[in-house]
Amino acid sequence: MQMRVLLEIKKDKKMWDLLKINSYWIKDLNRNSSNIKRFKDDMKVKYKLRTTDKISDAIDNIDLISNVLGALK
């Protein structure tokens, strides 16, 4: 694996943890360092870091708060 890719992965704890859990990524990143984009996308899906996930969580929180406030009335 190229040093640039390894340093990029080590500085982000979630990327490092995903690499330890899914070691098949080591093989893919060794073969082609441009697979780092796919690795990051996979990390965002697994840890729910995409924008759509954040919006969905916010909507769920708003719905929960409105239900609690409705029950208190």
Side-chain angles (χ1 to χ4, degrees), residues 57-72:
D57 289 343
I59 290 172
D60 290 344
N61 287 337
I62 291 170
D63 189 36
L64 176 67
I65 291 170
S66 68
N67 288 339
V68 168
L69 291 177
L72 292 176

